[in-house]
Amino acid sequence: MKEKNKKYEYIDLFSGCGGLALGMHCSGWKAIFAVEKNQDAFSTLSFNLNEKESHFVWPKWLPFQTYDINKLIVEYKKQLSALSGKITLVAGGPPCQGFSTAGQRNEKDIRNQLVESYIKFIDLVTPDSVFFENVRGFDQAFSKTSSKKKRKKYSTYVVEELKKRGYNVAFKMINFADYGVPQSRVRFILFASKTLKPSSFFDILEERRQGFLKEKGLLQSVSIKDAISDLEEINGTIQCPDCKTFRSGLYGSPKTQYQRYCRGKKRKGQVPDSHRFAKHRDDTKQRFKELIALNIPGKNISDLLDEKYGVKKNCFSVLNADLPSPTLTSNPDDHIHYLEPRTLTVREYARIQSFPDWFEIKGKYTTGGECRKNDVPRYTQIGNAIPPLFAEQAGLALIELLNNRE
């Protein structure tokens, strides 16, 4: 039997700002290293999980910096091959924008090719097990394509390639809202292993869910109001610490156990990290007030927005205070606050994604135009992340599965 305090080690691919890493850290794992290409996302990851928390082992042969996975494979092929047979787990999923049904769902999106890079990395390191996460659209074939061969689902490609390499594979669509996250966010979760029964991972994950949340004093279903009502603008504002021309909100009193869980030792009147309010024009605020007054929260009112105000958006809604949030994207303009005439702040995004308030987000807040193709500002970092509360449960399920094997 493995010791209870043993730290299992894994490699974190496409780590982003560290949602998966934070959850794995809380469940008792250590990361050998992380692969993340963007400097802002890596800065957030490094600050919180290397400087604040010692989550990374990090080998001496690999400088502590950002990496493109393809460049890493070429430049460190020998060192990665030397890890073959020594790695318990490779975790993470390639960027999802090309597969997402919330976006343009472009088969030719160059980021889709990173799925093949993922497989190349698995070939070099040959871990015992693989944990893979992506959007729901990853399990849907592209309907419009120039090649019949490419109409195959990307999920099918990954499953087939892993099976060729001797892995047993299971996957499932999971809604993170069922695991205490205040957000309806359905994701494709795959677990593959050479020595473990993958379906048992999903069994353990579901069986331990209630006990895990009860131990933390959390409910299985959390509404958006339960998650962020202590961050409302009515609690007061102050000059934003890192953007002097903006205003930041202040903490109100915690109203729910979920808020207490996220806040930790943060007190009323303190300034939350990344809680900067957008500077909306007066006519925009008036429009938001009118939409809130219609009292149709949670509905896509993009047609109404176009008809009444001449504003075109694919998706737009007033958030429903009594339900979990819809899936957050990298665009904060898709939804407005359930009560106040404004969009959400980055800190409210982080709360809805189950990040604790001590986790600080680095880099610029937003971006636009052509920069969207390369920039990963704070909203995007959080919007793309795996919720740490779910990742912690996944990490614990993996450890239980490994301990049962021993």
Side-chain angles (χ1 to χ4, degrees):
M1 178 69 70
K2 295 283 184 184
E3 312 94 61
K4 288 185 178 180
N5 62 350
K6 175 180 174 58
K7 293 281 186 182
Y8 283 106
E9 293 181 343
Y10 76 107
I11 295 173
D12 188 2
L13 291 187
F14 309 104
S15 56
C17 71
L20 173 64
L22 176 57
M24 295 292 277
H25 176 74
C26 293
S27 66
W29 287 80
K30 276 280 192 181
I32 299 172
F33 61 87
V35 180
E36 172 52 43
K37 164 180 188 180
N38 178 264
Q39 184 57 57
D40 285 341
F42 187 79
S43 294
T44 299
L45 176 80
S46 174
F47 180 78
N48 291 284
L49 292 166
N50 189 56
E51 296 178 35
K52 280 189 174 183
E53 300 287 335
S54 299
H55 180 58
F56 295 103
V57 178
W58 217 273
K60 293 181 180 180
W61 51 264
L62 187 65
F64 190 85
Q65 62 185 47
T66 58
Y67 287 100
D68 176 275
I69 188 170
N70 292 313
K71 187 175 180 181
L72 180 77
I73 287 172
V74 171
E75 293 186 359
Y76 294 95
K77 183 176 181 180
K78 181 179 179 181
Q79 291 89 337
L80 292 171
S81 297
L83 296 174
S84 180
K86 302 175 183 177
I87 303 301
T88 302
L89 178 73
V90 166
C96 61
Q97 289 85 350
F99 310 114
S100 177
T101 55
Q104 296 181 359
R105 190 163 167 75
N106 181 9
E107 184 213 347
K108 296 180 180 179
D109 192 313
I110 193 170
R111 289 168 292 193
N112 298 355
Q113 299 172 14
L114 293 173
V115 174
E116 296 178 9
S117 303
Y118 194 100
I119 297 297
K120 289 179 182 177
F121 188 91
I122 297 299
D123 283 339
L124 288 175
V125 175
T126 62
D128 178 76
S129 299
V130 175
F131 175 87
F132 184 99
E133 180 266 355
N134 217 291
V135 294
R136 177 164 41 184
F138 191 78
D139 193 41
Q140 298 175 11
F142 287 95
S143 57
K144 296 179 180 179
T145 179
S146 58
S147 169
K148 289 184 179 180
K149 292 181 179 179
K150 290 184 179 180
R151 289 181 185 172
K152 183 184 292 185
K153 303 173 186 177
Y154 270 80
S155 59
T156 301
Y157 168 77
V158 170
V159 169
E160 290 176 350
E161 292 302 313
L162 288 173
K163 285 183 175 180
K164 287 177 186 177
R165 289 156 175 80
Y167 289 94
N168 301 307
V169 184
F171 62 88
K172 189 175 182 179
M173 291 296 173
I174 288 181
N175 190 341
F176 296 151
D178 296 331
Y179 290 82
V181 178
Q183 180 184 186
S184 181
R185 190 180 184 94
V186 178
R187 286 297 184 263
F188 172 87
I189 304 294
L190 177 150
F191 181 62
S193 181
K194 291 184 176 181
T195 63
L196 302 170
K197 184 180 178 182
S199 61
S200 295
F201 162 72
F202 293 102
D203 293 339
I204 294 171
L205 188 64
E206 186 170 349
E207 290 167 4
R208 301 290 181 264
R209 174 177 56 192
Q210 295 285 358
F212 170 86
L213 294 172
K214 184 177 180 180
E215 187 176 328
K216 290 185 178 291
L218 299 176
L219 300 175
Q220 181 176 334
S221 180
V222 182
S223 73
I224 188 170
K225 185 176 180 180
D226 288 341
I228 65 172
S229 62
D230 62 324
L231 298 174
E232 292 171 358
E233 192 171 5
I234 196 173
N235 295 319
T237 66
I238 195 172
Q239 185 183 60
C240 182
D242 54 7
C243 288
K244 302 303 182 184
T245 61
F246 286 79
R247 304 292 290 179
S248 279
L250 303 175
Y251 280 114
S253 299
K255 300 177 179 65
T256 65
Q257 185 57 34
Y258 183 84
Q259 292 173 13
R260 296 184 186 94
Y261 165 78
C262 290
R263 284 168 64 136
K265 297 180 180 180
K266 305 292 185 182
R267 297 182 178 181
K268 180 179 179 180
Q270 291 182 318
V271 184
D273 169 69
S274 299
H275 193 34
R276 188 193 83 170
F277 295 117
K279 288 196 289 188
H280 298 301
R281 296 187 326 224
D282 290 342
D283 62 328
T284 301
K285 287 185 178 181
Q286 181 59 36
R287 180 193 308 153
F288 287 170
K289 287 179 182 178
E290 292 172 3
L291 293 172
I292 293 171
L294 291 175
N295 196 27
I296 47 174
K299 303 293 184 182
N300 184 355
I301 53 174
S302 57
D303 290 342
L304 174 63
L305 195 69
D306 184 13
E307 180 183 334
K308 189 171 182 179
Y309 301 103
V311 177
K312 296 186 181 295
K313 289 187 69 67
N314 291 328
C315 178
F316 185 82
S317 72
V318 177
L319 293 168
N320 190 327
D322 300 321
L323 295 175
S325 164
T327 300
L328 296 181
T329 67
S330 61
N331 188 352
D333 298 331
D334 287 346
H335 310 286
I336 58 174
H337 196 274
Y338 56 86
L339 180 65
E340 299 177 340
R342 61 177 178 84
T343 55
L344 297 180
T345 68
V346 173
R347 179 47 54 191
E348 288 169 328
Y349 252 55
R351 276 282 188 88
I352 292 168
Q353 280 277 58
S354 77
F355 282 89
D357 288 10
W358 63 259
F359 192 94
E360 297 181 34
I361 302 101
K362 302 300 180 181
K364 58 186 178 182
Y365 279 80
T366 60
T367 192
E370 288 298 309
C371 293
R372 285 184 179 274
K373 296 179 181 179
N374 300 306
D375 287 353
V376 185
R378 297 188 196 191
Y379 280 103
T380 304
Q381 290 178 44
I382 298 301
N384 288 347
I386 297 177
L389 191 63
F390 171 79
E392 182 176 352
Q393 294 174 72
L396 289 169
L398 291 169
I399 287 176
E400 182 172 342
L401 196 59
L402 287 162
N403 285 342
N404 289 343
R405 179 185 66 184
E406 296 298 326

